[in-house]
C-alpha cells in the first residue's frame, strides 16, 4: 500500500515537499499536468518512506496524505 499519496488536483507543484523529505524520495513528476497545469509531486520510492509526514505538514495546500 502507498504510504504517501499526493492528491493530484490539489497540488500546485511548488516543490516544498521535495525539499523537506529526509529520505529524498519526493520529486516533481514530469509526465502529466493536473487540471490547473501543474506538474505534481510524487513519492519515488514507497518502500523507503518512513511515514514521518514532514511532506504532508509543509504542504500549503494539504495535498498530501500519509498512511501508516
Ligand atoms: S512521509 Fe516522510 S519519508 Fe515519506 S515521503 Fe513524506 S517526508 Fe518523505
Ligand atoms: S508541497 Fe504540496 S502543493 Fe507543493 S509540490 Fe508538494 S504536494 Fe504539491
Amino acid at each position: 500500500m502507498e504510504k504517501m499519496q499526493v492528491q493530484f488536483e490539489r497540488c500546485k507543484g511548488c516543490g516544498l515537499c521535495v525539499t523537506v523529505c529526509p529520505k529524498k524520495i519526493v520529486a516533481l513528476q514530469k509526465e502529466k499536468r493536473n487540471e490547473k497545469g501543474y506538474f505534481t509531486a510524487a513519492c519515488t520510492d514507497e518502500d523507503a518512506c518512513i511515514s514521518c509526514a514532514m511532506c504532508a505538514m509543509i504542504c500549503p495546500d494539504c495535498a498530501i496524505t500519509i498512511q501508516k
Side-chain angles (χ1 to χ4, degrees):
M1 184 170 60
E2 286 185 3
K3 295 176 212 163
M4 178 275 209
Q5 273 187 304
V6 178
Q7 291 169 61
F8 190 63
E9 293 303 341
R10 287 186 94 142
C11 176
K12 64 185 178 195
C14 68
L16 281 173
C17 53
V18 176
T19 65
V20 295
C21 177
K23 305 297 273 184
K24 307 284 179 218
I25 52 168
V26 184
L28 295 179
Q29 56 84 26
K30 299 285 178 201
E31 285 93 59
K32 201 168 111 196
R33 294 176 194 265
N34 66 11
E35 264 186 21
K36 294 176 197 151
Y38 298 120
F39 285 120
T40 64
C43 182
T44 57
D45 187 352
E46 287 291 340
D47 290 339
C49 177
I50 53 173
S51 300
C52 68
M54 294 286 284
C55 54
M57 277 188 280
I58 203 160
C59 179
D61 294 81
C62 301
I64 299 177
T65 50
I66 306 293
Q67 315 261 341
K68 293 273 173 183

